[in-house]
Amino acid sequence: MAYKVKFVDPAKNYKMIKKEIDAAYREVMSKGDLILRGQLKRFEENLASFVGTKYAAGVNSGYDALHISMICAGIKQGDEVIVPAHTFVATASAVVNAGGTPVLVDAGKDYNIDVNKIEEAITEKTKAIIPVHLNGHMCDMDTIMSIAKKYNLIVVEDACQSLGATFCGKKAGSFGLTGCWSFYPFKILGGYGDGGAITTDSPKLERKARLLRYNGEDKATGEYFYHGFTCVLDNLQAAFLDVKLRHLPDWIKRRKKIAEFYKKGLKDIKELQLPHFEDKRFDDVFQNYVIRTSKRDELYDYLKKNGVEILIHWRIPYYCYKDLKLKDRGFPETESVSREVLSLPMNVEITDKQVEYVIKTIRDFFKKSV
Ligand SMILES: Cc1ncc(COP(=O)(O)O)c(C=O)c1O
């Protein structure tokens, strides 16, 4: 169906920055710069500077960033890694594919890992923790970093949904050994296909990540140091992402404005919980605008019927899929979140009129359903 309001609109976004994207395309194509060239280096430098780390290394996806981070952190068979029960499956898959065992922890009221439940999941085998900053809202990094210090754990941040978000003025992806980024098209910095990056302050880790992403080869000498992967970020994607990164500060401002718009239009609806956590330590970038209601499924159907495209992250928690062989230790909050949340259209392409339409449609639903 043709939606009145799309969840994201990549074609419209392209039109907004067509001149710059087309110029980047022409530069790459006319020079024939396809793999590991200047455009990638330039993007990596700009990304590191945006995040506030010394280095960035472009890879193929957020998953690759997490997987390489797990290998660089030394995770191996028998090691346990704390991950949230409420996240995208890739967070846990990166641990499993490095040889480790994910130990899941329930969500808190802000949908991120419940920091009060981390310590009870730690055992002698625990080596690392992956806080996932969901929806553009960071985890409580004061608590997480002090738990990590107390138990000598490595912190790898899954920051795939939070580029530009801060906690106490410090950016997501700059707290842990690495920050892991996804440039999947729906992300706040979305490419035209898959993409990802690792940010870090460690020169040792930066070198190893660069070798692992390119078959273990040191390009300067041609020597091989590891059995690696082929998962370097394409030069063309890097050139496009670099264009978009220049717009990111303005695009984040626009997201915050849309979030305020939603808040103003919806805050009096008693049956709705909005994603404004009112804690001054956090500056959110609203990768997703997640609302919560016990009437989620009916609201989802109503919005869809009225032309509003909605996503749900995630209807079924990943540990419920038996074939993944993950231990369900009982995660009541994650389960009610999976039944009650939905994400409203949130993108820089959306007009004020469209936001008003979404608000009006939600208000109509709650009038009808009382
Ligand atoms: C929280 C989280 N972690 C990891 C990933 C994986 O990123 P990618 O799809 O680029 O592999 C995503 C992307 O959907 C994500 O949202």
Side-chain angles (χ1 to χ4, degrees):
M1 81 179 274
Y3 284 106
K4 285 188 183 144
V5 190
K6 289 186 180 178
F7 190 74
V8 291
D9 194 343
K12 185 170 175 196
N13 184 279
Y14 167 60
K15 279 190 203 134
M16 288 159 60
I17 50 171
K18 184 174 182 323
K19 256 193 177 157
E20 293 162 85
I21 292 289
D22 290 357
Y25 172 79
R26 278 196 301 275
E27 188 204 337
V28 170
M29 298 309 271
S30 57
K31 287 187 181 161
D33 281 348
L34 302 179
I35 302 277
L36 289 173
R37 305 300 286 268
Q39 294 83 354
L40 175 61
K41 192 164 178 286
R42 199 162 62 209
F43 172 62
E44 288 172 340
E45 284 166 5
N46 291 334
L47 179 69
S49 140
F50 183 84
V51 173
T53 54
K54 287 192 183 133
Y55 311 104
V59 292
N60 232 3
S61 65
Y63 164 77
D64 287 313
L66 288 158
H67 185 214
I68 288 180
S69 294
M70 285 294 100
I71 294 170
C72 290
I75 299 305
K76 52 183 185 335
Q77 193 127 29
D79 293 342
E80 292 179 356
V81 178
I82 306 278
V83 300
H86 181 60
T87 181
F88 183 53
V89 64
T91 317
S93 301
V95 177
V96 171
N97 291 339
T101 304
V103 174
L104 281 54
V105 170
D106 205 2
K109 294 291 171 205
D110 63 355
Y111 312 125
N112 285 334
I113 192 165
D114 185 339
V115 291
N116 299 314
K117 293 186 179 158
I118 293 174
E119 284 195 85
E120 66 200 41
I122 293 174
T123 71
E124 280 177 357
K125 293 180 183 166
T126 311
K127 290 287 173 341
I129 171 162
I130 309 183
V132 182
H133 311 304
L134 289 175
N135 307 315
H137 173 77
M138 285 186 66
C139 300
D140 169 356
M141 291 309 285
D142 268 354
T143 307
I144 288 173
M145 296 312 280
S146 60
I147 293 173
K149 197 166 169 209
K150 181 169 165 194
Y151 294 93
N152 196 23
L153 306 180
I154 293 168
V155 175
V156 164
E157 292 174 75
D158 179 339
C160 290
Q161 294 194 6
S162 285
L163 185 58
T166 63
F167 175 78
C168 294
K170 192 166 155 59
K171 287 242 174 82
S174 68
F175 285 80
L177 177 66
T178 68
C180 300
W181 306 99
S182 168
F183 307 125
Y184 178 75
F186 283 22
K187 294 290 192 258
I188 202 158
L189 182 68
Y192 298 94
D194 279 317
I198 294 170
T199 47
T200 185
D201 280 330
S202 158
K204 238 172 97 185
L205 192 139
E206 186 233 6
R207 175 172 161 78
K208 188 163 180 180
R210 283 183 191 286
L211 296 179
L212 283 174
R213 74 178 178 176
Y214 204 68
N215 303 293
E217 182 188 353
D218 182 339
K219 283 296 284 174
T221 65
E223 292 172 277
Y224 293 94
F225 290 89
Y226 303 102
H227 288 290
F229 310 99
T230 306
C231 64
V232 70
L233 179 65
D234 287 344
N235 233 51
L236 188 58
Q237 287 298 343
F240 293 151
L241 288 164
D242 206 36
V243 168
K244 288 187 156 190
L245 186 58
R246 290 201 287 273
H247 291 274
L248 195 62
D250 284 340
W251 287 353
I252 287 173
K253 278 188 205 145
R254 174 68 185 149
R255 281 177 180 270
K256 288 180 178 176
K257 216 170 153 194
I258 295 166
E260 278 308 308
F261 219 162
Y262 277 139
K263 182 180 171 187
K264 207 166 151 226
L266 301 172
K267 67 174 191 279
D268 61 318
I269 301 176
K270 295 272 176 301
E271 295 143 287
L272 263 191
Q273 187 186 312
L274 305 180
H276 300 273
F277 303 109
E278 315 301 349
D279 182 332
K280 294 263 180 296
R281 295 174 302 165
F282 297 84
D283 185 29
D284 299 348
V285 292
F286 297 97
Q287 159 73 61
N288 301 309
Y289 194 86
V290 178
I291 60 172
R292 185 171 183 173
T293 171
S294 58
K295 294 185 178 141
R296 194 272 308 274
D297 289 339
E298 299 96 302
L299 177 59
Y300 175 90
D301 290 344
Y302 187 80
L303 285 166
K304 202 168 162 203
K305 204 175 79 197
N306 286 282
V308 180
E309 189 178 17
I310 296 299
L311 287 196
I312 291 176
H313 307 90
W314 294 269
R315 249 182 219 280
I316 300 175
Y318 65 96
Y319 56 82
C320 294
Y321 292 92
K322 296 289 169 236
D323 289 343
L324 300 189
K325 300 186 175 65
L326 296 165
K327 193 163 174 196
D328 178 355
R329 300 183 306 111
F331 309 114
E333 186 63 17
T334 297
E335 287 183 17
S336 55
V337 167
S338 70
R339 283 192 301 271
E340 293 179 354
V341 295
L342 56 82
S343 301
L344 299 182
M346 169 56 82
N347 57 67
V348 291
E349 301 87 59
I350 200 169
T351 62
D352 288 359
K353 264 210 149 71
Q354 286 177 307
V355 180
E356 268 168 30
Y357 177 76
V358 177
I359 292 170
K360 183 188 165 303
T361 312
I362 294 172
R363 296 194 71 85
D364 288 348
F365 169 81
F366 280 103
K367 253 188 255 154
K368 284 199 173 80
S369 74
V370 275

